[in-house]
DNA sequence: GTGAAAGCGCTAACAA
DNA sequence: TTGTTAGCGCTTTCAC
């Protein structure tokens, strides 16, 4: 009985809808066709219509043709993706959390490379890539909850970011890139400590003892200034913290007291800010012979500033970067190259591999020290007095 | 009665689930908590739990606290986004269709600019940006149907692409960028014809009559070769077709028979392919005095090739581009600048503006001819014989 | 090859 | 302030 009533109502509703009416209301917009209305129009069951789209082999070609034909006539574009997702429990998309400024993400070739790699992996698997709107400023975590995705990739996010916490709370798999290890979460990234230690070794071997560092933002609060050792230690950006601590360790081992090494921080990650950071550092510490930058973008700015000051590179000043972006290569920068495209791809593959795995997986990417034309031995005392 | 039965079953199911059981089945994985199970646990209705998340003012702070607390205890991360989307009829995301190779989209600064602008607009509105996995090769349109989005932005897609047709069939608003006008669809783009006509005028004024053109792919089939007038006319990439026909018109008006103008096409949009295209064109038509490229990327390649041949620019050869990307500016390229970031932003705003509008809206972006150091008067006959 | 029944997990009138 | 009711549009056993 109940079923019959329900059907009767559904039918009535359907008829009204067809004529652009709502129950008891004046004419409005014509309702969209649904799988049910299509079935009613055809006089078949919803199953059959569903099969026409999802299991073509489950019904006669003739019937299928009729279904599709009628669908076209009614302007029905196929099963509603959201309803399907609810029913099948898969969204067909992965989310990307990226709390940095978008302008950073799209302007740093290294970040774009990661994005591209991830997008490629998604494309291969036929799943969408959902960019979660999460600006660093906004505390509103709702966007994370609203994202209909089967998993998340988290990239370049401070470890105390509320969005990250929100992602981890969601009952879907997660992969982090360049982030600290998290219990039960897959991880992708280079061995930052080893890579920059090798770079530091290169500088030590050249004879540098008076070094300075130019790094990206260490925490969510802005500090376009020198960063104390304490601030370095408590940095919330894993990559920066790791690189700084590895540098500290290496230089301490080489007899350089880390507390005497100036570290300048910049919130915005641009070439101009790199130049400004280099200016600030060199103004205060003109005796520095090597400027270690934690990214190529910053290093390019430092090179520009060196040029502005009339410093020859590497004669007067050694400059190094990190990432190995194309423009750095063209500039002959000494840097550490990391395979950014692979980073994104690996993250995507990890997330999309359905393999049941017990322990969280870790992909460590190879890096390569690329000695370019911007690093050389420091000025000696004689050179300082008598010229090179 | 029926209702009571349903509740009884739900309750039983819930109790079983809590203990990691399925009805009649052995132990499996513990089911995820849902709004309903949370409500049962608390002894309140589902509405109340829903309100705790969506309408905090609809219940007492104390009860809300209890709900959230219990949610945490049960590992409930908030209402399922897909179910919510189904119910509210909004996905909180816009789709981006981009059938070009992803590697193109992420490597051309102009395309990245559009992407960034769109992402910024989405972020402002708090909606996600869903990249639809649609490689140019795959005919499989399912990804378009599977995308749970409230609207689509279509960028740089051939007008006969099946993915585009699939998007238009979906009952959601759509905005196209750099695409031909489509009945009932909003559109964003520069006035390509006017822009390149101005550029052509600049060349005509300089006295160029022997020109050649290097353009991006015209259709989905690969043709790394000269493009006949017929092929130009029937191109499926709107932007390329528009630019070529505007050039034809302008040069015909200046007394140049377009059929005599060599047009070389390249499928891949890279600097290297630009160089190879220039090589092919100049090998066959060494008398050309101006090479018009339909993008800066191609033009940069052409410049490289000119250098390789020992041609001075603009003394021996004038080269022009289109887009106004940063690297082109640095190279002093004569080009047409278009505001790519604004293009993406405008598309996003158009899509997200809920304003009821009757007629499709069109945003025409301003362009600017930027005369750089790569365009000058052609060699005269005397110069050819006696040197400049 | 086709259909009936049972939800997926949630929200939003409307009632109490 | 809280609960009841009625689906959103679809897929999927399981019968027929």
């Amino acid at each position: 009985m109940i079923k019959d009533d329900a059907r009767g109502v559904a039918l009535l509703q359907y008829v009204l809808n067809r004529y652009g009416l709502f129950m008891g209301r004046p004419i409005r917009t014509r309702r969209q066709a649904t799988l049910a209305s299509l079935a009613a129009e055809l006089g078949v069951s919803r199953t059959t219509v569903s099969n026409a789209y999802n299991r073509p082999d489950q019904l006669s070609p003739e019937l299928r043709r009729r279904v599709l034909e009628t669908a076209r006539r009614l302007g029905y574009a196929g099963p509603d993706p959201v309803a399907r997702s609810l029913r099948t429990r898969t969204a067909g998309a992965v989310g990307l959390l990226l709390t940095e400024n978008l302008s950073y993400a799209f302007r740093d070739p290294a970040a774009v490379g990661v994005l591209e790699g991830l997008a490629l992996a998604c494309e291969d698997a036929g799943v969408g890539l959902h960019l979660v709107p999460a600006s660093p400023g906004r505390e509103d975590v709702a966007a994370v909850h609203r994202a209909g995705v089967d998993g998340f990739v988290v990239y370049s996010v401070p470890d105390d970011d509320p969005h990250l916490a929100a992602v981890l709370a969601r009952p879907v798999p997660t992969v982090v890139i360049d982030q600290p290890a998290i219990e039960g979460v897959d991880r992708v990234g280079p061995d930052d400590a080893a890579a920059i230690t090798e770079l530091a070794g290169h500088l030590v071997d050249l004879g540098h003892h008076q070094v300075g560092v130019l790094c990206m933002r260490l925490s969510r609060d802005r500090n376009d200034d020198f960063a104390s050792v304490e601030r370095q230690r408590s940095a919330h950006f894993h990559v920066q913290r790791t690189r700084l601590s590895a540098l500290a360790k290496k230089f301490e081992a080489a007899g350089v007291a880390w507390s005497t090494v100036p570290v300048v921080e910049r919130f915005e990650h641009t070439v101009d800010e790199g130049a400004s950071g280099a200016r600030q550092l060199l103004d205060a510490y003109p005796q520095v012979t090597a400027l270690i930058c934690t990214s190529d973008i910053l290093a390019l700015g430092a090179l520009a500033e060196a040029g502005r000051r009339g410093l020859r590179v590497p004669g007067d000043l050694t400059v190094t970067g990190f990432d190995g972006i194309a423009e750095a290569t063209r500039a002959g920068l000494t840097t550490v190259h990391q395979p950014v495209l692979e980073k994104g791809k690996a993250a995507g593959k990890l997330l999309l591999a359905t393999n049941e795995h017990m322990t969280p997986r870790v992909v460590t990417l190879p890096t390569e020290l690329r000695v370019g034309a911007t690093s050389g031995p420091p000025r000696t005392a004689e050179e300082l007095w008598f010229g090179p």
Side-chain angles (χ1 to χ4, degrees), chain A:
Chain A
M1 302 297 262
I2 290 162
K3 286 302 155 192
D4 281 347
D5 274 344
R7 285 190 74 188
V9 170
L11 188 62
L12 172 59
Q13 220 165 33
Y14 163 66
V15 170
L16 291 172
N17 286 342
R18 274 223 65 192
Y19 293 97
L21 300 163
F22 276 116
M23 309 265 294
R25 294 260 185 66
I27 294 177
R28 285 276 215 66
T29 63
R30 183 153 147 192
R31 285 284 308 277
Q32 267 303 319
T34 69
L35 188 142
S37 68
L38 188 54
E41 168 87 14
L42 282 155
V44 302
S45 81
R46 311 209 299 286
T47 307
T48 302
V49 179
S50 176
N51 282 339
Y53 285 96
N54 302 317
R55 309 167 145 194
D57 52 320
Q58 294 293 303
L59 73 183
S60 63
E62 162 57 14
L63 178 54
R64 175 152 196 266
R65 201 198 51 66
R66 256 184 66 216
V67 172
L68 266 34
E69 156 63 22
T70 307
R72 184 159 32 252
R73 188 160 54 72
L74 263 51
Y76 179 71
D80 179 284
V82 175
R84 166 187 281 166
S85 287
L86 175 60
R87 187 59 239 238
T88 60
R89 315 297 314 147
T90 57
V94 311
L96 173 59
L97 180 65
L98 189 83
T99 354
E100 268 293 350
N101 281 321
L102 271 175
S103 45
Y104 154 71
F106 284 106
R107 287 185 191 183
D108 179 0
V112 171
V114 172
L115 210 62
E116 182 187 344
L118 179 57
L120 285 171
C122 289
E123 190 169 284
D124 278 352
V127 307
L129 180 56
H130 179 121
L131 273 49
V132 178
S135 351
R138 87 166 63 189
E139 293 291 312
D140 175 23
V141 163
V144 173
H145 290 132
R146 217 178 292 277
V149 298
D150 301 320
F152 282 97
V153 172
V154 176
Y155 174 55
S156 186
V157 167
D159 54 24
D160 61 343
D161 191 293
H163 297 276
L164 174 56
V167 162
L168 296 175
R170 293 255 325 239
V172 293
T174 299
V175 175
V176 298
I177 306 179
D178 290 356
Q179 304 268 148
I182 298 173
E183 167 88 24
V185 173
D186 292 343
R187 198 159 63 87
V188 174
D191 185 342
D192 274 295
I196 204 145
T197 298
E198 190 185 356
L199 175 73
H202 168 61
L203 297 181
V204 168
D205 291 348
L206 285 172
H208 290 279
H209 288 277
Q210 310 260 29
V211 302
V213 178
L214 183 49
C215 70
M216 292 165 62
R217 75 175 71 163
L218 296 178
S219 292
R220 289 194 284 151
D221 60 313
R222 188 173 200 123
N223 173 48
D224 289 321
D225 209 333
F226 289 92
S228 67
V229 173
E230 174 48 31
R231 184 173 170 85
Q232 296 171 36
R233 242 196 278 280
S234 61
H236 284 293
F237 280 93
H238 174 252
V239 168
Q240 301 299 309
R241 189 179 57 232
T242 306
R243 293 186 190 163
L244 288 173
S245 76
L247 285 173
K249 196 165 160 195
K250 181 70 183 174
F251 278 103
E252 289 276 2
V256 177
W258 187 251
S259 57
T260 67
V261 173
V263 175
V264 164
E265 176 181 353
R266 278 297 180 270
F267 193 78
E268 299 291 344
H269 186 235
T270 63
V271 173
D272 284 349
E273 287 296 308
S276 119
R279 190 175 316 129
Q280 179 173 23
L281 198 150
L282 294 172
D283 279 348
Y285 296 81
Q287 70 276 26
V288 159
T289 61
L291 187 48
I292 304 166
C293 306
T294 62
S295 85
D296 286 350
I297 293 285
L298 294 178
L300 289 170
L303 285 178
E305 174 62 16
R308 213 167 287 135
R309 296 177 164 248
L311 293 175
R312 284 158 309 173
V313 174
D316 298 320
L317 182 70
T318 281
V319 174
T320 67
F322 201 108
D323 282 342
I325 66 176
E327 194 168 350
T329 304
R330 281 196 288 271
L333 186 70
T334 291
T335 188
V336 174
H337 175 265
Q338 60 170 326
V340 287
L341 197 81
E342 297 313 318
K343 214 153 79 170
K345 263 192 191 162
K349 289 211 176 110
L350 229 46
L351 191 59
L352 295 167
T354 56
N355 320 330
E356 290 299 332
H357 56 284
M358 299 292 88
T359 55
R361 295 162 295 180
V362 174
V363 173
T364 302
L365 297 152
T367 57
E368 185 197 342
L369 174 62
R370 293 195 176 164
V371 176
T374 64
S375 57
R379 295 159 300 201
T380 61
E382 297 90 273
E383 281 171 359
L384 271 178
W385 289 109
F386 304 109

